[in-house]
Structures are given as C-alpha cells and as structure tokens.
C-alpha cells in the first residue's frame, strides 16, 4: 500500500466505499497537496485533431449536395444499435438507389418504420456530403440532444447493481479531446463501470465524434455533466465512494494502492492534469508504474490501464456479482412514419441479424 502523508483520516471497511462492505483493509485519506504545477503526466498530452472529428467540420465534396445541418451517426450497425437502445433519433436518411437493391438495408428501414422513425430517401451524394469518414453504408441517423444522466442516476445505478460491493465511476476533470473522451468511455464501459462524470464547461462532450471513438459505448453507459467536479466528488464520497486521482505526484503506484470496492477514479485534463481543488478533494493519489524514458501515457491510455487495475483487484467479488444493466436512453422517436421518395422495402428472412456491436467505420472494422 502506498505511503500516505498529511492530515490522515482513518476510513474503515474498504471495498464498499465509506463504511461499506468490501474486500480490502483500512484506508487513510491523504493530506492536502498544494498547487497544480507539473500535474500533466497523469494524463499526458493529446496533440492534433482527433481521428474522430465531428461532421460539423467535414468539407463538402465536389459535386455533392450541401450537407444538412445537425448531428448524425452513420452506418448500418450503428443505426441498428441506436434503434435497439432507444437512442434519440430525429429522422433516418437512406440512399434511395442502394435501398432498392439491398435487402439488409431494407430490413433496417422496416425496423425504423416500426419504431415510428421518419425515413427519408435521399441521393447517395447527400449522405456522402454529411459523412464524417465515408462509410455511411447507405444510411445516416440525425440524432437529438444526448440524454445526459444526473450524478444521482449513476449513484442509484451503483446501488441497484452493486449494493455495497465494488463499483467504478470515472470522473474526468476537464478532458477536452473528443478522441480521448470517447476512448475513456469505451474502456469504462468494457470493464463494467457504472458511469462517467464530466464537467459541463470547458470539456469534451458527447458528439458524433464520441459515438465513433467510443465504439458506441456512450449508448450503454450513463454520462453525467456537472457544474463542479470537486462537489461531485464530495457527493460520491457521501455515497460510499473512495476518490482516487491519477497523478505523477502520487507516492505509490496502482499496484500498491487499494482500488477495491467503490472507487471514483479521477483523470485530469490533457495539459494541466488534475486541478488543485479537485486534487485536494481526492482521498488518495495513484500512478502507473513506469520504466521507460517516455514522459507518460496520454489520458485515455492511462485511464484504460487504471480501469483494468480496478477490475483486476475486484475480480473475485465481481465474478459473483450481477452486471449493471445498460441504461435505457431517453427516446425522442417521431410519432408518425413518413416515408418519402420511392423506396420500397423488401422482406427477406435470410437477411443477417445485427449482433448489437457498434462499428462506426466499415462493417467489421472499429475506427476508434
């Protein structure tokens, strides 16, 4: 266990959070750490544009029609997953010519119609114009505002799924890069986290880029936007979470730190790391062990490694615990079906079924 310093505060019964049940031993709350200077290596730096840039910045290709306004998720499997999870969808744009000859696409359109989603047949050039990566596969969904959760929803999910057992919440202190944000959400969902918390200003939010870089994980994991990260940590503490910040200034690494039970893992921004106030609010600090000469991992890589260390330390308990159910996203599907153009859906019982995995690139390829 890492050494602790400063105003120590005993915390009984690790694992279940404050006063909860768990598998670890006693913990001590770390003392205050002055200043925020040099706190960048806990996250690393993210340079350049993310590979998952928003379609808002996509250039219209020569000869293509003007790109419609709005946010879109594209591709058949992404559309099928959005439909399955009840993700807010305003309308579906379907390539007219491709829809006429493609039974799989026709089946998906049938499913959209059954869900009362407005379907419009458009020229393929229109889909080309709005596509962010050229793999729309003949369909794009215009989506509504992302249904963010409240922090209370995430805590309630932890209570319902985990009781006083292990639960993970990933808290991002002003991570700004869309690619890093999406990758972190993906890792958090894969290890079974109950939610992600982000700031409502000066931070990456859920956009089309996040759908891609998270490989659809944003549809399965509640994400809460809060006005004050430090206050959110206090609320998580009150709910039994032990707050652990990732920082190069930690005295011990994650192999020594007790990450059992209810953990709120705090990751700092790409440039400045964890802010001073948030750092002081954390119960403990930890870092990844390092042998090489490179300064650090970036925030997405570091978060993934720490999420898996939480999973490893809690594996024995988690194997006996139920998996937290994916939240049902708020639905804003249209009430009336309006099928424009001359698209005629086909019914084909031999059309392959979608397995629910969201791949935002070509079929069979994840471009995160």
């Amino acid at each position: 266990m890492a050494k602790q310093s400063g105003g120590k505060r005993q915390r009984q019964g690790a694992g279940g959070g404050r006063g909860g049940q768990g598998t670890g031993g006693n913990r001590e709350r770390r003392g205050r750490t002055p200043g925020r200077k040099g706190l960048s290596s806990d996250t690393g730096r993210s340079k350049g544009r993310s590979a998952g840039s928003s379609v808002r910045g996509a250039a219209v290709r020569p000869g293509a029609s003007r790109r419609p306004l709005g946010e879109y998720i594209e591709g058949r499997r992404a559309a099928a997953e959005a439909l399955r999870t009840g993700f807010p969808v305003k309308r579906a744009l379907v390539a007219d010519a491709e829809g006429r000859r493609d039974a799989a696409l026709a089946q998906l359109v049938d499913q959209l119609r059954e869900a009362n989603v407005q379907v419009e047949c458009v020229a393929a050039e229109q889909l080309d114009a709005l596509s962010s990566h050229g793999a729309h596969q003949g369909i794009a969904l215009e989506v509504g505002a992302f249904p963010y959760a409240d922090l209370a929803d995430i805590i309630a999910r932890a209570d319902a799924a985990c009781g006083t057992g292990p639960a993970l919440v990933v808290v991002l202190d002003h991570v700004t890069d869309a690619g890093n944000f999406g990758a972190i959400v993906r890792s958090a969902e894969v290890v079974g986290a109950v939610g992600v918390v982000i700031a409502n200003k000066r931070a990456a939010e859920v956009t089309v880029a996040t759908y891609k870089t998270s490989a659809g994980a944003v549809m399965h994991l509640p994400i809460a936007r809060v006005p004050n990260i430090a206050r959110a940590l206090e609320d998580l503490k009150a709910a039994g979470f032990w707050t652990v910040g990732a920082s190069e200034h930690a005295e011990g690494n994650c192999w020594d730190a007790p990450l059992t039970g209810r953990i709120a893992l705090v990751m700092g921004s790409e440039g400045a790391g964890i802010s001073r106030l948030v750092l002081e609010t954390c119960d403990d600090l930890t870092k990844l062990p390092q042998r090489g000469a490179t300064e650090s991992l970036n925030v997405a890589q570091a978060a993934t490694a720490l999420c898996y260390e939480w999973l490893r330390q809690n594996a024995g308990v988690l194997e006996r615990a139920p998996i937290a159910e994916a939240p049902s996203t708020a639905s804003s599907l249209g009430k009336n079906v309006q099928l424009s153009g001359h698209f005629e859906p086909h019914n084909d019982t031999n059309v392959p079924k979608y397995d629910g995995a969201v791949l935002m690139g070509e079929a069979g390829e994840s471009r995160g």
Side-chain angles (χ1 to χ4, degrees):
M1 178 175 175
K3 295 180 180 179
Q4 309 296 328
S5 61
K8 296 182 180 178
R9 211 166 113 183
Q10 290 289 336
R11 182 168 176 182
Q12 302 297 326
R18 296 189 163 215
Q21 302 299 316
T23 58
N26 293 342
R27 298 175 181 174
E28 298 173 346
R29 183 169 181 176
R30 60 174 297 278
R32 303 294 190 185
T33 300
R36 64 182 288 179
K37 183 177 179 181
L39 294 181
S40 60
S41 71
D42 54 319
T43 59
R45 298 178 182 270
S46 176
K47 300 181 180 180
R49 289 190 62 179
S50 163
S53 59
S54 171
V55 297
R56 291 188 184 280
V60 176
R61 299 170 188 172
S65 60
R66 185 175 181 82
R67 176 180 58 81
L69 299 176
E71 295 285 356
Y72 293 83
I73 56 178
E74 57 188 290
R76 301 178 189 183
R77 302 188 73 178
E81 185 70 357
L83 184 61
R84 187 182 71 81
T85 59
F87 201 79
V89 177
K90 293 182 177 180
R91 60 174 176 159
L93 302 181
V94 180
D96 186 24
E98 189 167 352
R100 288 175 179 273
R101 63 175 181 265
D102 193 313
L105 183 57
Q107 184 190 45
L108 180 55
V109 169
D110 283 342
Q111 295 169 347
L112 288 164
R113 294 177 65 193
E114 291 172 1
N116 293 326
V117 177
Q118 177 183 336
V119 179
E120 297 181 18
C121 293
V122 299
E125 289 79 10
Q126 186 171 344
L127 293 179
D128 292 340
L130 65 85
S131 176
S132 63
H133 56 286
H136 54 73
Q137 299 174 311
I139 188 169
L141 302 183
E142 183 178 3
V143 295
F146 181 78
Y148 288 100
D150 292 329
L151 180 59
D153 297 329
I154 292 177
I155 294 173
R157 188 179 185 217
D159 292 340
C162 311
T164 57
L168 176 67
V169 174
V170 179
V171 181
L172 305 183
D173 185 14
H174 295 89
V175 169
T176 58
D177 181 81
N180 284 335
F181 175 42
I184 292 169
V185 172
R186 182 176 185 175
S187 296
E189 200 284 325
V190 166
V191 302
V194 294
V196 172
V197 178
I198 63 175
N200 63 4
K201 294 181 180 178
R202 305 188 312 280
E205 57 189 51
V206 179
T207 64
V208 173
T210 322
Y211 300 144
K212 282 205 309 177
T213 56
S214 73
V218 293
M219 299 182 188
H220 300 283
L221 191 66
I223 299 173
R225 297 179 78 190
V226 298
N228 188 301
I229 294 294
R231 176 64 59 84
L233 292 181
E234 293 291 356
D235 291 342
L236 286 166
K237 288 181 184 183
F241 283 83
W242 182 267
T243 57
V244 180
S247 171
E248 66 173 335
H249 296 293
E251 295 184 16
N253 64 52
C254 62
W255 293 349
D256 302 319
L259 296 179
T260 51
R262 286 193 167 195
I263 296 293
L265 175 64
V266 185
M267 306 300 301
S269 67
E270 292 87 352
I274 300 175
S275 64
R276 180 186 59 80
L277 181 59
V278 172
L279 190 71
E280 291 179 354
T281 307
C282 290
D283 291 321
D284 200 0
L285 299 180
T286 193
K287 62 184 177 182
L288 293 169
Q290 180 176 329
R291 295 187 63 193
T294 304
E295 180 183 0
S296 66
L297 299 177
N298 71 20
V299 63
Q301 294 170 323
T304 298
L306 289 170
C307 282
Y308 270 94
E309 178 59 19
W310 171 86
L311 180 62
R312 185 192 69 81
Q313 291 193 26
N314 292 279
V317 178
L318 291 171
E319 286 177 358
R320 301 188 296 272
I323 298 175
E325 280 190 23
S328 176
T329 51
S331 176
S332 61
L333 304 179
K335 295 181 179 179
N336 298 316
V337 177
Q338 297 180 10
L339 184 61
S340 60
H342 302 286
F343 180 75
E344 298 178 358
H346 300 279
N347 292 317
D348 190 339
T349 57
N350 294 321
V351 173
K353 304 295 183 182
Y354 295 98
D355 62 6
V358 176
L359 303 178
M360 295 304 193
E362 299 285 349
E365 175 186 0
S366 175
R367 296 190 177 191

